[in-house]
Amino acid sequence: MSAGPVERPPGEAGGGSAAPASPRALAWRRRRHSLGRFWAGYRGNRAGLAGLAGLAVFVLIALCAPLLIGPADLSLTDAPGGPHEPPSAAYPLGTDNYGRSILDLVIWGSRVSLTVGFLATLMCVGLGTLVGIVAGHYGGFGSTVLMRITDWVLVLPALVLAVAFAAVMGQGTVTIILAIGLTAWPTTARLVRAQTLAVEARPYIDRAKALGGGHGHVMTRHVLPNVMPIVLAQTTLTVAESIIMESTMAFLGLGDPNTLSWGGTLQEARNAGAVSSGLWWHLLPPGLAIVLVALAFTLCGRAIEGVLNPRLRERR
Amino acid sequence: MTAQTGPDPATRDDAGDRAVPGGAAAPVLSAEGLEVRFKGRGDRGVARAVDGVHLDVRAGEIIALVGESGCGKTTLARTLLGLERPTDGRVTFEGRPLSYTGKALKAYRRRAQLVLQDPSGSLNPRHVVYDAVAEGLRIHYGVTADEKAKVADALARAGLRPPERFFLRYPHELSGGQRQRVVIAGALVLDPEVIVADEPVASLDASVRGEILALLLRLRDDLGLSALVVTHDLGLAWNIADRVAVMYLGRVVESGTVEEVLTAPRHPYTQALLSVLPEGGVAERVVLTGEPPDPTRVPGGCRFHARCQILASGEADRAGIADRCRGEDPGVLPAGSDSHLAACHYAALGEPAGT
């Protein structure tokens, strides 16, 4: 932690001497600067880097999947191998009940699983954080209404709501993302609101108000950084949850039945009796993939929290 | 953009002379019949935290607001900054009533600053010192080129030298006194005209306390800064204030210049407060009895009568005013007067008629 305002170029501090920079340029320079500081802190966290590298590998594999696997490899009727072959040189992770390579299924499935995991999580955590902070900050009648809506969504069975979505919007991955995003946010909203209420009671909120800070300033500069730990923890939990949820929804026919995903492969393994007949290679790889992605998210989340929370940084 | 300039030079004239606070100076910030009530839940009743206060803070003047815990000092300070809405009465700044629209409040808060009581809590633990001090500048002017210079200057003025060494410290890495000085620097960076300081030095050790108080006095002398210093420490009031207002249970019960009030207190409450000072030199210590005041149950008559040592000792009876003490409210002290006032029936006996 050596970078910071101290080591800014002198021209910036002096003001008059250099060509006067526009406020926007100054703001950008400051933002770049704090981003640099953030990265410097993050880089020092080995577990965080490992998590980031893991996520990068998964994303890279998902992007390169069409280069590695042809449509023939995933064909149900014209599968390359025999059904339920154990791992071998030709099929490193064995084959499924149709004779497709599990490795291929996992690689191809990462595309849908990661997309759903990322987007649904982004949507659900974003919506939950927004609702939670707004409800906690403003209080009053509007907040009560907002929280009653939250409670209402919380008690609605997510699957029923998702089926209704699919009926309106048609089947597909987008429907699944929306269905997860629009049903899973209330938990986040409730947690964030509770934390917001605790933060709002702190004297530094009063100080910010007395300095002239408006609602936006208080919410983004003071409340948001202090509810971040909860938001990050919630993110890591939601990623794994969304990936599993996707398989449930695909199983119920809300997605395109031909789409391959980790959850879908797990579902198929279960249907094919992999649990009872000890076909571990059918179950384990997609399950492990979900665990690894969730783990990578957890590591990243903890590292970000470590950088944002100055007290944690010291203890490390 | 430049910072707010100090008030016009005319107001500086009285700054050097503490015995005669400029009687002609117009009030910068004043409370007019201010009342703040909090509704308790259930049957706890309404707390009259501030119950009719007239108070003027004039340009270049430091006023100390003293009183025991729970008498409404902090609420009054918060109301003056617009953090609390008055139930009745109004706050005026430069003669104009405070407007509670977002824009007007923001403009007001560029010129009036609050220093809070608790330095550990009033800094965001996730902001470094630089960001905490620059916060006000960024709120009002955005990011400016001379931001760093201003932050360094404010930190140096608040006694954190060399300022660059503190830029990247987090609040938890600072001592309580340093934190409080960061808070003060955050208020100074906007070059305010009025500072409302709620127990600004309560958490500081004696050496730092002296430095902060000297800073306040210097700012008053150099820039014509006005300040309302809320404190329970009469010694502090004696050291820095031009005028003193003594508050009891939501009301100002005695006001006047610091010499008058602290050397010749007229209200029995002030007398009791002064008599228990360790270095008071008063022969007889008055320890107040009776239940501590409860703003949800303000007694009738004089609000101090239940604990008043003059009434208890029978002196009021002998003067023939005991019934008035118990049944008649001595009224609210007016603001803007230079004379030494006390809201007390007994004190009023010794005065020439008409006051």
Side-chain angles (χ1 to χ4, degrees):
Chain A
M1 265 311 296
S2 59
V6 189
E7 281 140 45
R8 282 181 194 192
E12 188 183 334
S17 58
S22 71
R24 186 180 290 180
L26 280 171
W28 273 113
R29 198 180 304 175
R30 187 161 72 83
R31 253 169 241 156
R32 253 201 329 269
H33 204 89
S34 42
L35 204 66
R37 252 204 292 172
F38 177 81
W39 175 239
Y42 192 94
R43 218 172 30 194
N45 190 323
R46 216 177 288 164
L49 282 182
L52 200 62
L55 280 184
V57 167
F58 271 110
V59 169
L60 205 68
I61 289 177
L63 288 177
C64 299
L67 302 175
L68 305 171
I69 303 158
D73 296 330
L74 301 170
S75 162
L76 284 174
T77 49
D78 199 13
H84 285 319
E85 280 184 30
S88 62
Y91 305 109
L93 295 175
T95 62
D96 72 347
N97 47 335
Y98 301 106
R100 296 177 294 182
S101 163
I102 301 283
L103 183 65
D104 289 359
L105 291 182
V106 169
I107 290 177
W108 196 263
S110 68
R111 294 166 73 84
V112 166
S113 287
L114 286 184
T115 313
V116 172
F118 289 171
L119 291 183
T121 302
L122 194 72
M123 202 169 144
C124 133
V125 171
L127 198 62
T129 308
L130 185 73
V131 170
I133 289 183
V134 166
H137 176 79
Y138 286 100
F141 182 70
S143 157
T144 312
V145 171
L146 218 49
M147 287 330 282
R148 289 301 81 78
I149 295 176
T150 308
D151 291 345
W152 180 69
V153 179
L154 194 65
V155 296
L156 274 184
L159 277 178
V160 176
L161 206 63
V163 171
F165 273 126
V168 176
M169 302 190 323
Q171 301 175 334
T173 310
V174 178
T175 306
I176 291 182
I177 293 173
L178 281 179
I180 298 172
L182 291 178
T183 52
W185 60 269
T187 333
T188 315
R190 279 230 151 259
L191 286 170
V192 168
R193 174 178 166 273
Q195 184 68 20
T196 303
L197 290 179
V199 171
E200 291 265 345
R202 306 289 313 224
Y204 56 80
I205 300 293
D206 264 350
R207 175 174 172 268
K209 282 186 198 156
L211 279 170
H215 296 297
H217 175 85
V218 170
M219 284 191 281
T220 55
R221 300 278 303 147
H222 292 282
V223 175
L224 186 61
N226 283 290
V227 299
M228 246 353 209
I230 282 187
V231 172
L232 290 173
Q234 196 65 17
T235 306
T236 56
L237 290 176
T238 314
V239 167
E241 211 173 292
S242 322
I243 292 176
I244 301 285
M245 188 89 167
E246 187 270 336
S247 72
T248 314
M249 297 204 174
F251 176 67
L252 287 174
L254 298 184
D256 181 352
N258 294 322
T259 317
L260 281 174
S261 70
W262 294 339
T265 308
L266 277 178
Q267 201 73 51
E268 241 164 49
R270 203 180 59 88
N271 288 346
V275 182
S276 47
S277 37
L279 304 171
W280 56 266
W281 61 87
H282 200 175
L283 273 174
L284 220 50
L288 274 180
I290 296 176
V291 169
L292 285 178
V293 168
L295 181 69
F297 259 93
T298 311
L299 292 178
C300 289
R302 284 184 59 96
I304 294 174
E305 168 57 10
V307 177
L308 291 183
N309 189 342
R311 279 174 189 270
L312 284 181
R313 191 183 313 165
E314 235 150 69
R315 237 173 271 156
R316 206 187 52 232
Chain B
M1 261 195 229
T2 56
Q4 205 64 41
T5 52
D8 52 328
T11 55
R12 294 190 188 175
D13 295 347
D14 61 75
D17 186 358
R18 293 189 47 201
V20 190
V28 178
L29 180 64
S30 56
E32 295 176 9
L34 209 59
E35 283 186 25
V36 185
R37 296 187 184 156
F38 297 112
K39 215 177 260 164
R41 279 184 195 227
D43 55 353
R44 268 186 280 165
V46 176
R48 288 145 75 179
V50 177
D51 193 21
V53 166
H54 294 289
L55 190 72
D56 280 351
V57 183
R58 295 177 205 142
E61 180 182 63
I62 296 179
I63 293 196
L65 189 65
V66 298
E68 63 194 338
S69 306
C71 72
K73 298 176 307 231
T74 300
T75 307
L76 178 60
R78 289 170 53 87
T79 312
L80 285 175
L81 256 296
L83 286 171
E84 215 71 73
R85 291 270 197 118
T87 323
D88 201 7
R90 59 182 190 172
V91 176
T92 64
F93 183 64
E94 293 183 329
R96 280 186 301 280
L98 202 56
S99 158
Y100 289 91
T101 62
K103 218 174 176 183
L105 267 186
K106 189 174 170 186
Y108 170 56
R109 286 167 177 168
R110 195 178 65 221
R111 305 171 61 186
Q113 284 299 320
L114 178 67
V115 175
L116 282 168
Q117 191 167 7
D118 168 18
S120 320
S122 45
L123 291 173
N124 190 331
R126 291 174 180 239
H127 289 180
V128 291
V129 166
Y130 182 90
D131 287 334
V133 176
E135 189 175 358
L137 285 177
R138 285 179 189 159
I139 288 171
H140 293 289
Y141 307 111
V143 180
T144 52
D146 56 350
E147 182 183 277
K148 189 183 162 198
K150 280 187 175 172
V151 170
D153 177 56
L155 281 171
R157 275 198 284 168
L160 294 173
R161 286 177 291 261
E164 284 78 11
R165 195 185 293 167
F166 293 92
F167 277 178
L168 291 180
R169 298 271 192 92
Y170 280 96
H172 71 270
E173 299 167 331
L174 303 174
S175 73
Q178 286 171 329
R179 280 179 214 165
Q180 184 66 315
R181 285 189 272 179
V182 171
V183 173
I184 290 172
L188 291 181
V189 78
L190 284 169
D191 289 326
E193 291 153 60
V194 182
I195 284 188
V196 175
D198 188 0
E199 303 276 11
V201 292
S203 57
L204 305 184
D205 64 67
S207 60
V208 181
R209 178 182 298 215
E211 195 176 352
I212 294 292
L213 298 182
L215 169 74
L216 271 180
L217 287 174
R218 202 168 63 241
L219 288 173
R220 183 199 62 176
D221 294 344
D222 295 350
L223 300 174
L225 178 85
S226 315
L228 177 75
V229 178
V230 175
T231 178
H232 55 247
D233 181 351
L234 292 168
L236 170 69
W238 174 260
N239 280 317
I240 67 163
D242 300 304
R243 287 197 298 137
V244 177
V246 182
M247 215 166 155
Y248 182 79
L249 209 45
R251 221 175 252 186
V252 174
V253 293
E254 180 161 8
S255 70
T257 63
V258 67
E259 284 81 4
E260 285 167 346
V261 173
L262 296 187
T263 54
R266 292 174 48 200
H267 197 281
Y269 176 61
T270 320
Q271 290 165 358
L273 282 186
L274 279 168
S275 75
V276 291
L277 280 187
E279 68 272 29
V282 182
E284 187 192 352
R285 298 230 158 132
V286 184
V287 177
L288 292 178
T289 53
E291 57 188 86
D294 177 358
T296 61
R297 280 190 295 263
V298 176
C302 171
R303 56 193 55 216
F304 185 58
H305 83 256
R307 298 169 77 197
C308 180
Q309 69 274 21
I310 292 192
L311 188 62
S313 67
E315 230 172 296
D317 237 346
R318 283 191 288 281
I321 53 156
D323 290 338
R324 287 177 65 203
C325 285
R326 291 195 185 91
E328 188 190 324
D329 194 333
V332 179
L333 292 182
S337 166
D338 277 330
S339 45
H340 182 187
L341 300 172
C344 174
H345 295 303
Y346 184 77
L349 290 178
E351 281 174 20
T355 316

Short mmCIF file of all heavy atoms in Angstrom, two decimals, chain A residues 197-226:
data_model
loop_
_atom_site.label_atom_id
_atom_site.label_comp_id
_atom_site.label_asym_id
_atom_site.label_seq_id
_atom_site.Cartn_x
_atom_site.Cartn_y
_atom_site.Cartn_z
N LEU A 197 -29.75 -0.22 8.00
CA LEU A 197 -30.29 0.44 9.19
C LEU A 197 -29.21 0.59 10.25
O LEU A 197 -29.10 1.63 10.90
CB LEU A 197 -31.46 -0.38 9.75
CG LEU A 197 -32.73 -0.36 8.91
CD1 LEU A 197 -33.80 -1.22 9.56
CD2 LEU A 197 -33.24 1.07 8.75
N ALA A 198 -28.37 -0.44 10.39
CA ALA A 198 -27.30 -0.37 11.39
C ALA A 198 -26.30 0.71 11.01
O ALA A 198 -25.84 1.48 11.86
CB ALA A 198 -26.61 -1.73 11.51
N VAL A 199 -25.94 0.78 9.72
CA VAL A 199 -24.95 1.76 9.28
C VAL A 199 -25.50 3.18 9.41
O VAL A 199 -24.81 4.10 9.83
CB VAL A 199 -24.53 1.47 7.82
CG1 VAL A 199 -23.67 2.59 7.27
CG2 VAL A 199 -23.78 0.17 7.73
N GLU A 200 -26.80 3.33 9.10
CA GLU A 200 -27.39 4.67 9.12
C GLU A 200 -27.42 5.26 10.53
O GLU A 200 -27.56 6.45 10.70
CB GLU A 200 -28.82 4.63 8.56
CG GLU A 200 -28.87 4.34 7.07
CD GLU A 200 -28.93 5.60 6.24
OE1 GLU A 200 -29.22 6.67 6.79
OE2 GLU A 200 -28.69 5.51 5.04
N ALA A 201 -27.33 4.41 11.52
CA ALA A 201 -27.38 4.92 12.89
C ALA A 201 -26.01 5.43 13.34
O ALA A 201 -25.89 5.99 14.41
CB ALA A 201 -27.86 3.80 13.82
N ARG A 202 -24.98 5.23 12.52
CA ARG A 202 -23.64 5.63 12.92
C ARG A 202 -23.47 7.15 12.80
O ARG A 202 -24.05 7.76 11.91
CB ARG A 202 -22.58 4.94 12.06
CG ARG A 202 -22.69 3.45 12.01
CD ARG A 202 -22.30 2.84 13.32
NE ARG A 202 -21.04 3.41 13.80
CZ ARG A 202 -20.06 2.70 14.31
NH1 ARG A 202 -20.19 1.42 14.41
NH2 ARG A 202 -18.96 3.29 14.72
N PRO A 203 -22.65 7.75 13.65
CA PRO A 203 -22.48 9.20 13.59
C PRO A 203 -21.89 9.70 12.27
O PRO A 203 -22.15 10.84 11.88
CB PRO A 203 -21.51 9.50 14.74
CG PRO A 203 -21.59 8.33 15.64
CD PRO A 203 -21.96 7.15 14.80
N TYR A 204 -21.11 8.88 11.57
CA TYR A 204 -20.51 9.42 10.35
C TYR A 204 -21.55 9.70 9.27
O TYR A 204 -21.30 10.48 8.35
CB TYR A 204 -19.35 8.57 9.81
CG TYR A 204 -19.64 7.12 9.54
CD1 TYR A 204 -20.27 6.72 8.37
CD2 TYR A 204 -19.24 6.14 10.43
CE1 TYR A 204 -20.49 5.39 8.11
CE2 TYR A 204 -19.45 4.80 10.18
CZ TYR A 204 -20.08 4.43 9.02
OH TYR A 204 -20.30 3.11 8.76
N ILE A 205 -22.72 9.08 9.39
CA ILE A 205 -23.80 9.41 8.47
C ILE A 205 -24.29 10.83 8.77
O ILE A 205 -24.52 11.64 7.87
CB ILE A 205 -24.94 8.40 8.59
CG1 ILE A 205 -24.45 6.99 8.26
CG2 ILE A 205 -26.11 8.78 7.70
CD1 ILE A 205 -24.05 6.78 6.84
N ASP A 206 -24.41 11.14 10.06
CA ASP A 206 -24.79 12.50 10.47
C ASP A 206 -23.77 13.51 9.97
O ASP A 206 -24.12 14.58 9.52
CB ASP A 206 -24.85 12.58 12.00
CG ASP A 206 -26.27 12.39 12.51
OD1 ASP A 206 -27.18 12.39 11.66
OD2 ASP A 206 -26.44 12.24 13.72
N ARG A 207 -22.50 13.13 10.10
CA ARG A 207 -21.45 14.04 9.67
C ARG A 207 -21.56 14.30 8.17
O ARG A 207 -21.46 15.44 7.72
CB ARG A 207 -20.08 13.46 10.01
CG ARG A 207 -18.94 14.29 9.49
CD ARG A 207 -17.59 13.78 9.97
NE ARG A 207 -16.53 14.50 9.29
CZ ARG A 207 -15.97 14.11 8.18
NH1 ARG A 207 -16.36 12.98 7.61
NH2 ARG A 207 -15.02 14.83 7.62
N ALA A 208 -21.78 13.24 7.41
CA ALA A 208 -21.90 13.40 5.97
C ALA A 208 -23.07 14.30 5.62
O ALA A 208 -22.99 15.15 4.73
CB ALA A 208 -22.06 12.04 5.30
N LYS A 209 -24.18 14.14 6.35
CA LYS A 209 -25.34 14.99 6.10
C LYS A 209 -25.02 16.43 6.45
O LYS A 209 -25.36 17.36 5.72
CB LYS A 209 -26.53 14.51 6.93
CG LYS A 209 -27.21 13.30 6.36
CD LYS A 209 -28.45 13.00 7.18
CE LYS A 209 -28.94 11.59 6.94
NZ LYS A 209 -29.73 11.10 8.07
N ALA A 210 -24.35 16.61 7.60
CA ALA A 210 -24.04 17.97 8.04
C ALA A 210 -23.04 18.63 7.10
O ALA A 210 -22.98 19.85 7.00
CB ALA A 210 -23.49 17.95 9.46
N LEU A 211 -22.24 17.83 6.40
CA LEU A 211 -21.32 18.39 5.41
C LEU A 211 -22.05 18.80 4.14
O LEU A 211 -21.48 19.43 3.27
CB LEU A 211 -20.24 17.36 5.05
CG LEU A 211 -19.07 17.24 6.01
CD1 LEU A 211 -18.23 16.02 5.64
CD2 LEU A 211 -18.21 18.47 5.98
N GLY A 212 -23.30 18.41 4.03
CA GLY A 212 -24.08 18.79 2.87
C GLY A 212 -24.35 17.64 1.91
O GLY A 212 -24.87 17.84 0.82
N GLY A 213 -23.96 16.44 2.29
CA GLY A 213 -24.16 15.29 1.40
C GLY A 213 -25.63 14.93 1.28
O GLY A 213 -26.34 14.89 2.27
N GLY A 214 -26.06 14.69 0.06
CA GLY A 214 -27.46 14.33 -0.16
C GLY A 214 -27.67 12.83 -0.02
O GLY A 214 -26.76 12.09 0.39
N HIS A 215 -28.87 12.38 -0.38
CA HIS A 215 -29.19 10.96 -0.26
C HIS A 215 -28.24 10.11 -1.08
O HIS A 215 -27.74 9.09 -0.62
CB HIS A 215 -30.63 10.72 -0.71
CG HIS A 215 -31.64 11.39 0.15
ND1 HIS A 215 -31.79 11.07 1.47
CD2 HIS A 215 -32.52 12.37 -0.11
CE1 HIS A 215 -32.75 11.82 1.99
NE2 HIS A 215 -33.20 12.63 1.05
N GLY A 216 -28.00 10.54 -2.32
CA GLY A 216 -27.13 9.75 -3.20
C GLY A 216 -25.75 9.61 -2.62
O GLY A 216 -25.16 8.53 -2.62
N HIS A 217 -25.23 10.71 -2.08
CA HIS A 217 -23.89 10.68 -1.50
C HIS A 217 -23.83 9.71 -0.33
O HIS A 217 -22.94 8.87 -0.26
CB HIS A 217 -23.51 12.10 -1.04
CG HIS A 217 -22.21 12.17 -0.32
ND1 HIS A 217 -21.01 12.29 -0.98
CD2 HIS A 217 -21.91 12.09 0.99
CE1 HIS A 217 -20.03 12.31 -0.10
NE2 HIS A 217 -20.55 12.20 1.11
N VAL A 218 -24.80 9.81 0.57
CA VAL A 218 -24.79 8.95 1.75
C VAL A 218 -24.92 7.48 1.33
O VAL A 218 -24.22 6.61 1.83
CB VAL A 218 -25.94 9.34 2.70
CG1 VAL A 218 -26.10 8.30 3.80
CG2 VAL A 218 -25.66 10.70 3.33
N MET A 219 -25.81 7.22 0.36
CA MET A 219 -26.05 5.83 -0.02
C MET A 219 -24.85 5.21 -0.73
O MET A 219 -24.50 4.07 -0.49
CB MET A 219 -27.30 5.72 -0.89
CG MET A 219 -28.58 5.85 -0.08
SD MET A 219 -30.04 5.41 -1.02
CE MET A 219 -30.29 6.88 -1.96
N THR A 220 -24.21 5.97 -1.62
CA THR A 220 -23.14 5.36 -2.40
C THR A 220 -21.79 5.43 -1.69
O THR A 220 -21.01 4.50 -1.78
CB THR A 220 -23.00 6.03 -3.78
OG1 THR A 220 -22.82 7.44 -3.57
CG2 THR A 220 -24.21 5.81 -4.62
N ARG A 221 -21.52 6.53 -0.98
CA ARG A 221 -20.18 6.67 -0.39
C ARG A 221 -20.10 6.06 1.00
O ARG A 221 -19.02 5.68 1.43
CB ARG A 221 -19.79 8.15 -0.31
CG ARG A 221 -19.73 8.85 -1.64
CD ARG A 221 -18.43 8.61 -2.35
NE ARG A 221 -17.28 9.01 -1.54
CZ ARG A 221 -16.11 8.39 -1.59
NH1 ARG A 221 -15.95 7.36 -2.38
NH2 ARG A 221 -15.10 8.82 -0.87
N HIS A 222 -21.20 5.99 1.71
CA HIS A 222 -21.11 5.51 3.09
C HIS A 222 -21.82 4.19 3.31
O HIS A 222 -21.28 3.29 3.92
CB HIS A 222 -21.66 6.57 4.05
CG HIS A 222 -20.80 7.80 4.11
ND1 HIS A 222 -19.64 7.84 4.81
CD2 HIS A 222 -20.92 9.00 3.52
CE1 HIS A 222 -19.08 9.03 4.67
NE2 HIS A 222 -19.84 9.75 3.89
N VAL A 223 -23.06 4.09 2.82
CA VAL A 223 -23.82 2.87 3.11
C VAL A 223 -23.30 1.71 2.26
O VAL A 223 -23.00 0.63 2.78
CB VAL A 223 -25.33 3.09 2.87
CG1 VAL A 223 -26.07 1.79 3.06
CG2 VAL A 223 -25.86 4.15 3.82
N LEU A 224 -23.14 1.94 0.96
CA LEU A 224 -22.75 0.85 0.07
C LEU A 224 -21.43 0.17 0.49
O LEU A 224 -21.39 -1.05 0.61
CB LEU A 224 -22.68 1.35 -1.38
CG LEU A 224 -22.43 0.27 -2.43
CD1 LEU A 224 -23.56 -0.75 -2.41
CD2 LEU A 224 -22.31 0.87 -3.82
N PRO A 225 -20.36 0.93 0.74
CA PRO A 225 -19.12 0.24 1.15
C PRO A 225 -19.29 -0.56 2.43
O PRO A 225 -18.62 -1.56 2.62
CB PRO A 225 -18.13 1.39 1.36
CG PRO A 225 -18.68 2.54 0.67
CD PRO A 225 -20.16 2.38 0.64
N ASN A 226 -20.19 -0.12 3.29
CA ASN A 226 -20.34 -0.81 4.55
C ASN A 226 -21.30 -1.98 4.49
O ASN A 226 -21.34 -2.79 5.42
CB ASN A 226 -20.76 0.18 5.64
CG ASN A 226 -19.60 1.01 6.10
OD1 ASN A 226 -18.68 0.52 6.75
ND2 ASN A 226 -19.59 2.28 5.74
#
